[in-house]
Structure formats: structure tokens, C-alpha cells
């Protein structure tokens, strides 16, 4: 259930949970990079006073923890808990980035459209619906990853992998549906907005589409990686995990550091009054707060 060999010597095969020699240096590098992104998002959340941005902090923190446990596992390869922790976290952590995008989108619909809706769906409802769907995908992926990581029987491991891949496929389906609404928002914004407001909307929508493309790249990698089980040739090359999973997710985090929604969308729902916010967000949108 692991990824790739490096130039370091192999641990004792009788006690190690690794079937290759992972790179300690690479693990430490990504630990530091994800930790920097975590601190950056925490600071921006406080600076812009955006409680909903805690979700992107959770994503960055989960991926930081991934590499903390991976590093510990490399240093103590016989510890099963550390190995299982990094294996599960790396599979589910990106879902928090996905959820953050959905939360940002609801606020964009509010801030950048005059009627605060897309195809009769209110701004607050977008977040509620798509975050709920993301949670469904999270539960399926978590169940599959946990089963694959903790099982010893080959049949049970395959069941876990198939469950995880089903969750990943469902996640991608939701992303495709979401992109249809995002394209409609882009069209409306270009038709109605002018000046700095239009530029801000275009920049933030661009960040959303790029982040979704990075998530899609990572999903395709995981589907291909596990389509042949844990003994395929892909998991034996550690570089694949870093370049097609961790690096895209790191790029998505830094992208939202650079183009932060809190800097572009002022207030909790743009320029809405408290009464308008309450009317718009009920009933599904209450989870936006």
C-alpha cells in the first residue's frame, strides 16, 4: 500500500510495513511546504476575518499531518499506526480543498450576480448542496482507505480499494456538475460586471477552475494507480505520488494563498445586509456561517 523506492537502504523486511525504501528528505520537504501553507492560511483567515476559511486550513493541516506521520513511519517502519495514518490522510485530505471551493462559490454567486442565484438555485444553497455531496464522497473514500490500509487479506484489500475508487469517481462526477454552474457564473459575471469587480471575479473564478483541474489530475492519478491493485508498477515509483498527488494539492493551497477569497469578497456575503443574508441563506444555506 505504499509508493516508491529511493536510494536509501531497505528496512528490515520482517518488521517494516514498507515494501520499498521511501525518501526521508522528500517527506521532510513536503512536510515543511505544507506547514508553511497551513500557517499562511491560518494568518489570512484571521486577517480577513473569514471563519469559513477554516476549511482550507483543515486541508493544509491534514496534508501536513500526512507528512508528519509519513516521516515518523519512515524513521520507525515497524510502527503500524504511523503507516496507516499517513496512508489514510493522503487519500482524504484533498476533499477539504474541494469543500472549500464549494463554500467560496456560494459567496461568489452572492457577490457577483444581481439576483444572487444560478438557474434558480440560491447562492447559499450551492454551498449546502455541494458540501453535502463532498461529505458523501469523503465518507466513501474514508471507509475504503481505512479498509485497504488495515486489512491483510488480498480480497478485503481489493474491496477497500474498489470502495475508495468509487468515492473518488463520485467526487469527480460532482466536480463536473459543479463546473457547469461555475461556467454559467463566469458568463453572468462577464456580462454584468465592470471594472475592478469584474477583474476580481475573473481572477477568483480562474483560481477555482485551476484548483479543480489540479484536483482532477490527482483523482485521475489515484484511479490509475489503484486500478491494478497495490502491486501495480505505479506505487513502486515514489516520484509519481509527489508529482501527481502532493504537488498538485500543494499548488492548490498556495494558489488560494495568492488569490485569497477573503481579499476579493468583502463581508460574509459581499454587500448584503443582515436581513438579506438571512433570507438568502435559509434553510440550506445555514451551514455557510
Amino acid at each position: 500500500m505504499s509508493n516508491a523506492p529511493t536510494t536509501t537502504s531497505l528496512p528490515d523486511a520482517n518488521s517494516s510495513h514498507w515494501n520499498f525504501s521511501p525518501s526521508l528528505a522528500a517527506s521532510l520537504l513536503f512536510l515543511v511546504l505544507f506547514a508553511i501553507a497551513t500557517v499562511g492560511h491560518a494568518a489570512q483567515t484571521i486577517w480577513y476575518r473569514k471563519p469559513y476559511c477554516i476549511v482550507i486550513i483543515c486541508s493544509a493541516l491534514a496534508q501536513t499531518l500526512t507528512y508528519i506521520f509519513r516521516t515518523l513511519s519512515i524513521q520507525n517502519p515497524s510502527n503500524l499506526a504511523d503507516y496507516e495514518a499517513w496512508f489514510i490522510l493522503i487519500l482524504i485530505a484533498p476533499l477539504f480543498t474541494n469543500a472549500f471551493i464549494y463554500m467560496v462559490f456560494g459567496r461568489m454567486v452572492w457577490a457577483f450576480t444581481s439576483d444572487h442565484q444560478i438557474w434558480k438555485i440560491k447562492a447559499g444553497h450551492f454551498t449546502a448542496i455541494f458540501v453535502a455531496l463532498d461529505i458523501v464522497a469523503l465518507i466513501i473514500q474514508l471507509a475504503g482507505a481505512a479498509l485497504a490500509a488495515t486489512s491483510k487479506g488480498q480480497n478485503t484489500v481489493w474491496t477497500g480499494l474498489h470502495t475508495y475508487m468509487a468515492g473518488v469517481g463520485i467526487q469527480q462526477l460532482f466536480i463536473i456538475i459543479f463546473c457547469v454552474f461555475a461556467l454559467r457564473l463566469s458568463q453572468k459575471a462577464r456580462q454584468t460586471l465592470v471594472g475592478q469587480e469584474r477583474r476580481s471575479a475573473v481572477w477568483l473564478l480562474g483560481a477555482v477552475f485551476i484548483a479543480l483541474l489540479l484536483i482532477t489530475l490527482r483523482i485521475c492519478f489515484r484511479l490509475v494507480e489503484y486500478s491494478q491493485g497495490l502491486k501495480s508498477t505505479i506505487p513502486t515509483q515514489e516520484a509519481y505520488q509527489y508529482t501527481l498527488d502532493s504537488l498538485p494539492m500543494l499548488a492548490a493551497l498556495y494558489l488560494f494563498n495568492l488569490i485569497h477569497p477573503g481579499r476579493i469578497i468583502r463581508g460574509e456575503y459581499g454587500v448584503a445586509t443582515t436581513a438579506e443574508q438571512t433570507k438568502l441563506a435559509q434553510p440550506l444555506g445555514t451551514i455557510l456561517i
Side-chain angles (χ1 to χ4, degrees), residues 176-209:
I176 293 171
I177 295 171
F178 173 82
C179 283
V180 175
F181 290 99
L183 286 170
R184 176 55 181 157
L185 175 60
S186 176
Q187 182 184 44
K188 291 184 71 173
R190 292 177 183 276
Q191 290 174 345
T192 60
L193 301 180
V194 295
Q196 182 58 45
E197 189 178 26
R198 178 176 177 175
R199 287 190 293 272
S200 296
V202 169
W203 274 99
L204 189 51
L205 273 169
V208 164
F209 281 119

Side-chain angles (χ1 to χ4, degrees), residues 188-264:
K188 291 184 71 173
R190 292 177 183 276
Q191 290 174 345
T192 60
L193 301 180
V194 295
Q196 182 58 45
E197 189 178 26
R198 178 176 177 175
R199 287 190 293 272
S200 296
V202 169
W203 274 99
L204 189 51
L205 273 169
V208 164
F209 281 119
I210 291 172
L212 290 174
L213 182 61
L214 291 169
I215 292 172
T216 297
L217 172 64
R218 182 254 180 194
I219 286 174
C220 291
F221 163 64
R222 287 301 182 185
L223 287 174
V224 172
E225 179 185 28
Y226 292 126
S227 62
Q228 299 177 15
L230 297 171
K231 300 302 182 181
S232 69
T233 57
I234 293 176
T236 64
Q237 302 296 323
E238 193 171 28
Y240 287 135
Q241 176 198 295
Y242 285 110
T243 57
L244 297 176
D245 186 307
S246 294
L247 188 58
M249 294 303 93
L250 183 67
L253 290 172
Y254 279 106
L255 177 63
F256 284 118
N257 281 131
L258 180 64
I259 307 175
H260 197 277
R263 182 162 54 89
I264 294 174

Side-chain angles (χ1 to χ4, degrees), residues 32 48 82 95 115 135 141 148 166 228 230-231 234 258 261 271:
V32 171
Y48 294 120
D82 290 339
L95 279 157
D115 56 358
I135 291 172
Q141 290 183 37
Q228 299 177 15
L230 297 171
K231 300 302 182 181
I234 293 176
L258 180 64
V271 296

Side-chain angles (χ1 to χ4, degrees), residues 135-159:
I135 291 172
V136 171
L138 171 62
I139 293 171
I140 295 172
Q141 290 183 37
L142 181 59
L147 187 62
T150 58
S151 299
K152 295 182 179 179
Q154 188 65 24
N155 289 338
T156 308
V157 170
W158 264 110
T159 300

Side-chain angles (χ1 to χ4, degrees), residues 17 69-70 72-73 76-89:
H17 295 289
F69 284 114
R70 185 180 177 90
L72 292 173
S73 181
N76 187 11
S78 63
N79 188 308
L80 179 60
D82 290 339
Y83 183 87
E84 290 177 344
W86 86 259
F87 182 82
I88 293 172
L89 282 169

